Amino acid sequence: MALRTVGVIGLGSMGLGMARNILDADIPVKGYDVFPGARTALTEASGQASLTATDAATGVDVLLLMVVNAAQAEDVLFGGWNAAASMTKGATVMLCSTVAPSEARALGERVIGLGLEFLDAPVSGGKVGAEAGTLTLMCSGSEKAFDTAGPILKAISKTVHDL
């Protein structure tokens, strides 16, 4: 599947490297981070900086979350930003944060309940792996979520475990 646009929320030490590798794969990226300097860095890498998480989620095929924890993911998707509500039905939320399985399941159920796909995709490899595109991902989700996120998985990782 050719992706039209990917949203990345969380452009910190790992998220920005992941966004750059997605851009290097000729996939357009728009992204958001609470720190203006991170948004500037995305623009300098030829991405599109968004002023809100909701804007970064609007109209994307995949929304990649590289936030600190499940509470931040929930806030982005359903809380103050309510980004999930702005996504096109059938789009995929790709949670790359490491969260407890029960938290991932709960987030996934809520995302799927909105007519979206969900791919739980925690990463290993740190900043170096994110910058080099050699992360290891441990993914769980529907076949459609895997198919949609496939070009992103290829751009950011060396190894993908389908769990």
Side-chain angles (χ1 to χ4, degrees):
M1 169 180 189
L3 297 174
R4 293 174 306 230
T5 305
V6 172
V8 177
I9 297 178
L11 298 168
S13 63
M14 292 186 68
L16 183 60
M18 295 163 76
R20 286 180 176 145
N21 283 303
I22 296 166
L23 286 163
D24 287 346
D26 293 324
I27 301 168
V29 172
K30 59 183 187 171
Y32 174 76
D33 195 282
V34 294
F35 297 106
R39 297 192 304 265
T40 299
L42 178 65
T43 301
E44 290 170 352
S46 299
Q48 177 186 343
S50 297
L51 295 178
T52 69
T54 304
D55 180 52
T58 302
V60 298
D61 297 309
V62 176
L63 179 64
L64 187 155
L65 298 180
M66 194 64 225
V67 295
V68 173
N69 54 34
Q72 286 185 357
E74 179 155 349
D75 187 48
V76 166
L77 292 170
F78 308 109
W81 294 111
N82 201 18
S86 70
M87 294 178 69
T88 305
K89 300 294 182 225
T92 298
V93 172
M94 184 173 160
L95 178 62
C96 292
S97 307
T98 301
V99 302
S102 60
E103 293 170 321
R105 279 191 293 276
L107 287 168
E109 288 172 5
R110 289 182 72 187
V111 165
I112 291 166
L114 293 174
L116 303 167
E117 296 292 325
F118 185 77
L119 186 64
D120 182 27
V123 300
S124 176
K127 180 179 179 180
V128 171
E131 290 175 353
T134 59
L135 294 169
T136 297
L137 283 84
M138 289 72 53
C139 300
S140 179
S142 70
E143 185 175 329
K144 183 175 185 224
F146 270 98
D147 287 346
T148 302
I152 297 168
L153 298 173
K154 184 176 179 182
I156 66 172
S157 67
K158 180 178 169 187
T159 306
V160 176
H161 297 284
D162 180 346
L163 307 174

